[in-house]
Amino acid sequence: MEIRSVGVVGAGQMGNGIAHVFALAGYDVLLNDISEEGLQKALATIEKNLDRQVSRGKITAEVKAAAQARIETTLKLADLGQCDLIIEAATERETVKQAIFEDLLPYLKPTTILTSNTSSISITRLASRTDRPEKFMGLHFMNPVPVMQLVELIRGIATDQDTWDTMHEVVRRLGKTAASAEDFPAFIVNRILIPMINEAVYTLYEGVGSVKSIDESLKLGANHPMGPLELADFIGLDTCLAIMNVLYDGLADSKYRPCPLLVKYVEAGWLGRKSQRGFYDYRGDVPVPTR
């Protein structure tokens, strides 16, 4: 199947990045969100990120203008029904994702492929709530989407070969690299990454090191570009906790137990960069460790 039009559900950090890369690759994009403010903020972010690419010589001003012209927005989920491909990029809660797909079903073309950008939730389970589990799969982009090269392709138990081949070609056309992952909790990247972050939080919780010493140790001792606590703030502590809970519930192994300190930060609303406080306080000119 040839994909020409793409609907993106959710205009947040991931959704606007997904819309950006698809428009840049020549696809017509319809971006949906529950608020007009969210949509306008997404368009502003996309323009800023395209401008950055122009200033660095990655794209021309003409390419930027053409990409922007390919993006339209809507508050009505039903408007996405005629798209060839729909990518759900809403919050990482299964009930929210299920409700979105159920609301979409009456408006879909028979040929529309459904995908979820979930970073951890069962693709098979999400697909089972739709009328086309054979045309459903996971399409997990990394954050920030315009910069990161990897896309995890996750096949549900019912995903057919045509859908897989079509999405593999889509990822190639985006100029990104596809990694094939089986449908197990958190797939590949987050199955490895988030427990590492959780262990860093335990290291802080147990007093082995401070926020600064833990992050410096991993940056200088393991050559990581960001420390694990800094990275957790960038991802969002609520997202990290949600993924740890998926791992803990799905694999029933105590090694995936979320650190109580991570739970406490989320309960406090200290979710990282997006709330201005997490393991660092971002309200000043320079981020300051909170512990």
Side-chain angles (χ1 to χ4, degrees):
M1 179 192 297
E2 186 178 356
I3 304 295
R4 294 187 179 90
S5 58
V6 179
V8 181
V9 183
Q13 190 175 42
M14 297 303 293
N16 72 60
I18 292 167
H20 173 143
V21 298
F22 270 91
L24 208 52
Y27 294 96
D28 294 325
V29 178
L30 186 55
L31 181 60
N32 163 262
D33 200 81
I34 56 174
S35 79
E36 184 61 35
E37 182 185 0
L39 289 172
Q40 293 308 313
K41 185 178 177 182
L43 292 176
T45 300
I46 291 168
E47 181 168 26
K48 182 181 72 175
N49 290 336
L50 286 168
D51 282 338
R52 185 182 293 118
Q53 289 177 305
V54 172
S55 69
R56 294 177 178 174
K58 303 279 188 184
I59 61 173
T60 64
E62 292 75 21
V63 169
K64 173 205 163 185
Q68 284 183 288
R70 292 188 193 103
I71 302 174
E72 295 185 2
T73 63
T74 181
L75 292 170
K76 297 178 181 176
L77 195 60
D79 290 347
L80 274 60
Q82 295 305 300
C83 293
D84 300 323
L85 166 66
I86 293 177
I87 304 164
E88 172 274 313
T91 188
E92 191 68 359
R93 292 209 304 271
E94 188 166 349
T95 53
V96 173
K97 295 177 184 298
Q98 286 175 345
I100 288 168
F101 288 120
E102 287 171 0
D103 288 347
L104 273 169
L105 290 183
Y107 307 102
L108 298 178
K109 296 190 300 184
T111 55
T112 298
I113 292 175
L114 297 176
T115 65
S116 175
N117 183 57
T118 179
S119 53
S120 61
I121 296 167
S122 167
I123 298 303
T124 298
R125 201 161 59 236
L126 288 174
S128 72
R129 302 294 290 267
T130 75
D131 63 350
R132 61 196 66 204
E134 72 285 351
K135 293 186 180 300
F136 192 111
M137 63 185 298
L139 188 69
H140 180 216
F141 289 84
M142 306 297 125
N143 186 32
V145 180
V147 175
M148 302 295 279
Q149 287 300 301
L150 184 73
V151 181
E152 284 183 316
L153 286 180
I154 306 102
R155 189 196 304 256
I157 196 170
T159 307
D160 65 26
Q161 192 61 42
D162 285 346
T163 300
W164 172 264
D165 292 342
T166 298
M167 294 315 302
H168 197 277
E169 173 57 23
V170 165
V171 173
R172 188 201 64 77
R173 184 172 160 185
L174 293 177
K176 298 189 181 294
T177 300
S180 176
E182 293 302 314
D183 187 21
F184 285 91
F187 318 128
I188 296 173
V189 173
N190 285 325
R191 171 79 176 262
I192 298 167
L193 176 64
I194 302 300
M196 183 199 76
I197 288 173
N198 194 55
E199 194 62 30
V201 183
Y202 266 116
T203 306
L204 178 65
Y205 177 61
E206 293 168 2
V208 180
S210 66
V211 168
K212 183 179 178 183
S213 63
I214 291 166
D215 277 351
E216 282 189 347
S217 294
L218 269 292
K219 283 193 283 189
L220 302 179
N223 205 28
H224 289 190
M226 296 173 73
L229 301 175
E230 181 186 5
L231 180 57
D233 277 356
F234 180 74
I235 293 169
L237 303 193
D238 52 341
T239 299
C240 292
L241 179 59
I243 295 169
M244 282 308 300
N245 279 325
V246 166
L247 283 164
Y248 191 41
D249 295 342
L251 298 172
D253 191 325
S254 61
K255 73 180 180 180
Y256 297 115
R257 183 172 71 96
C259 179
L261 184 61
L262 177 60
V263 175
K264 194 63 66 181
Y265 268 68
V266 173
E267 288 176 343
W270 291 19
L271 307 180
R273 285 183 176 271
K274 61 187 174 185
S275 66
Q276 294 293 292
R277 279 192 291 187
F279 292 112
Y280 292 85
D281 189 324
Y282 299 92
R283 294 173 295 176
D285 294 333
V286 179
V288 177
T290 54
R291 287 178 83 88

